Amino acid sequence: MSTERNLIRRHTAFRRFWLARAVSLVGDGAAMIALVLLVSREDNAGTGVSLILLAESVPRFFGPLAGALADRVNVRRLLIVAELVQAAVFAAIILTRPGLVALVALVLVAASASTVFSAAGRTVVPRLVDEADLMPANAWLGTAFNLQAALGPVLGGLLSAWVGPRGALLLNAATFLVSAALLTRIPPLPGLGAGGRGGMKGLFSDTAEGLRHVRGNRVARAIVMLLLLGVFFGSLDNLALVFLAEHSLGTGEFGFGVLSASFGVAMVASSLWLVRAAEHRSPVWVFLFGWFFTGLGLLLTAAAPVLYVAVAMQVIAGLGNGIANVGEETLLQRAVPVEVLGRVGGTVSSAAFLGSTLGYLGGGFLSPDTHPRLAFVVAGAGIFLTLALCAPGVLAARNAAVPADGPSPEPSDGVGVPSGAEPAPVGPAAAVPSEDEKKLGAR
């Protein structure tokens, strides 16, 4: 085995997969800004923006179904098709200049393809890299997802101002094509689950089987509950932050921008740190400590007397959120057989999205506009309570082993992870955030 420690340099197949995700995700971040700007300039702008965001969000609830599809078919082919569908959708938006109804329908198709990609993408890493490389690989992917939030909107705004929103949409379409080309260069990844059942009936049956696996797997069940409740409470940060900056700290739009950026920059920094430090870390403890510091940062933000203290507290929360996201995926990859990983991962993604949706709906009862500090107290305390409830199940991952009857690993550059091998003692894992939901309700 190569003595090169940098996984990106050492592992050709993983490097291609990472580049495909990084390019595509940055394009996604630019496109969302462009879509909102495009609709905001038309009649009934408020309704249009709401419908676009709704079309982007609704498919995320069908993560378990998308995961069942990913477990049934050749994953590489499914990933490529999903990227090509999204490229075609955005090309159609650019060329046809559709009205609002048609635009919403096209965005719905693109979001559905993205949901399928997200579920299928969760199964790739444990089939490409050795078990010892799972955490660093997930940390690299966490960096790609964080760049989506940090770089994508900037590119979207600049391109929209320079050549108009359709310029940013063109960039996004091009990134999907680049991603699809890179994905053709990773090894074949045949479907591992749902042997002989075909048709929609079989697909729904496989989806139900995945949900039953979550219910019966203590580690997966604990992660789903922690994501559901943790993101529910964490999303209160997004609701209250602007009011904390403007009303409590008196720093206006500038303060809000600085606070938002500090959280995102901290997430990028945490994933970059784990790229180098993850190899000898326990994913269980990375996951739990990540959520602990997320809750601590939000709770202390409530007491921040001035802007720079609030920035420091948001940095703590962002660092925690970043490493918790990295921890989650590694835990799933070690505790769940690879042949059901798509379905379990899809369920986790849907749980996180449901948590953020419920948080946004319920957060208004806390009156974050008039009592922003109370919202942060509830957010931090709620995360601590969630940790107390779910930590015993997560700690069970230290002794969990993927059943030994799993499929053989896929060869890639001479390395692979035996999906049936008993994992080394684990701690918090490197998770691939489900694109938008795991960053405390998508900042």
Side-chain angles (χ1 to χ4, degrees):
M1 180 176 287
S2 170
T3 57
E4 172 62 59
R5 295 188 61 189
N6 188 312
L7 182 63
I8 291 289
R9 295 176 182 170
R10 167 164 50 89
H11 199 300
T12 303
F14 177 75
R15 179 170 66 249
R16 290 167 180 159
F17 180 66
W18 182 83
L19 283 172
R21 293 310 291 134
V23 167
S24 180
L25 287 168
V26 169
D28 277 346
M32 183 48 62
I33 296 297
L35 282 172
V36 170
L37 290 173
L38 190 67
V39 175
S40 68
R41 296 172 182 176
E42 304 295 333
D43 295 334
N44 301 314
T47 301
V49 170
S50 297
L51 288 174
I52 290 295
L53 295 178
L54 186 63
E56 173 68 25
S57 302
V58 167
R60 312 297 177 182
F61 283 114
F62 296 95
L65 187 64
L69 179 63
D71 289 335
R72 292 169 66 91
V73 303
N74 184 293
V75 171
R76 182 180 68 177
R77 187 178 302 129
L78 185 62
L79 295 176
I80 293 170
V81 169
E83 294 292 71
L84 292 178
V85 167
Q86 293 179 85
V89 166
F90 282 95
I93 293 173
I94 296 166
L95 295 174
T96 65
R97 299 176 179 265
L100 179 59
V101 174
L103 179 61
V104 169
L106 287 168
V107 172
L108 190 64
V109 172
S112 299
S114 176
T115 300
V116 170
F117 191 110
S118 179
R122 285 179 174 273
T123 70
V124 172
V125 171
R127 299 173 68 183
L128 286 185
V129 305
D130 284 324
E131 186 173 335
D133 287 326
L134 282 178
M135 184 91 84
N138 287 318
W140 274 111
L141 286 173
T143 302
F145 282 109
N146 293 336
L147 285 175
Q148 177 189 25
L151 184 58
V154 174
L155 286 176
L158 289 175
L159 282 171
S160 295
W162 183 31
V163 295
R166 285 182 173 79
L169 298 181
L170 179 61
L171 169 69
N172 195 32
T175 62
F176 287 126
L177 294 177
V178 171
S179 174
L182 287 166
L183 291 170
T184 64
R185 306 295 303 280
I186 68 173
L189 301 169
L192 297 174
R197 291 167 293 188
M200 290 303 297
K201 184 176 180 180
L203 185 63
F204 288 127
S205 175
D206 296 339
T207 302
E209 180 185 336
L211 294 173
R212 286 194 297 271
H213 185 90
V214 172
R215 184 179 63 185
N217 184 314
R218 188 181 182 189
V219 177
R221 187 172 67 245
I223 291 174
V224 167
M225 289 304 299
L226 202 157
L227 265 290
L228 174 64
L229 297 175
V231 174
F232 170 81
F233 287 111
S235 63
L236 299 177
D237 171 277
N238 291 346
L239 287 176
L241 195 65
V242 62
F243 302 113
L244 180 77
E246 293 186 351
H247 300 170
S248 301
L249 300 177
T251 56
E253 295 177 354
F254 171 78
F256 174 56
V258 171
L259 286 171
S260 297
S262 64
F263 192 102
V265 169
M267 288 188 68
V268 174
S270 65
S271 55
L272 286 174
W273 171 71
L274 276 175
V275 163
R276 299 185 62 85
E279 187 174 353
H280 303 295
R281 307 284 170 177
S282 161
V284 167
W285 294 111
V286 170
F287 185 55
L288 293 178
F289 275 111
W291 273 104
F292 173 83
F293 283 107
T294 300
L296 180 64
L298 296 184
L299 190 61
L300 293 177
T301 298
V306 292
L307 177 62
Y308 70 85
V309 176
V311 167
M313 299 307 102
Q314 285 286 293
V315 166
I316 292 173
L319 289 171
N321 193 202
I323 65 172
N325 285 342
V326 172
E328 170 216 319
E329 194 74 7
T330 305
L331 278 176
L332 286 177
Q333 291 165 354
R334 291 185 174 183
V336 175
V338 71
E339 63 268 24
V340 295
L341 186 56
R343 282 165 281 179
V344 174
T347 303
V348 169
S349 296
S350 293
F353 181 78
L354 178 60
S356 66
T357 302
L358 294 176
Y360 293 147
L361 291 174
F365 291 103
L366 293 173
S367 300
D369 53 336
T370 56
H371 301 91
R373 295 187 187 275
L374 174 62
F376 282 99
V377 170
V378 173
I383 287 175
F384 286 146
L385 177 60
T386 298
L387 268 178
L389 292 173
C390 299
V394 175
L395 289 168
R398 292 177 300 175
N399 301 315
V402 175
D405 57 353
S408 299
E410 299 292 332
S412 168
D413 294 344
V415 292
V417 52
S419 62
E422 181 171 343
V426 295
V432 181
S434 88
E435 255 112 89
D436 25 320
E437 299 93 14
K438 290 194 214 172
K439 302 183 179 86
L440 293 185
R443 212 172 249 283

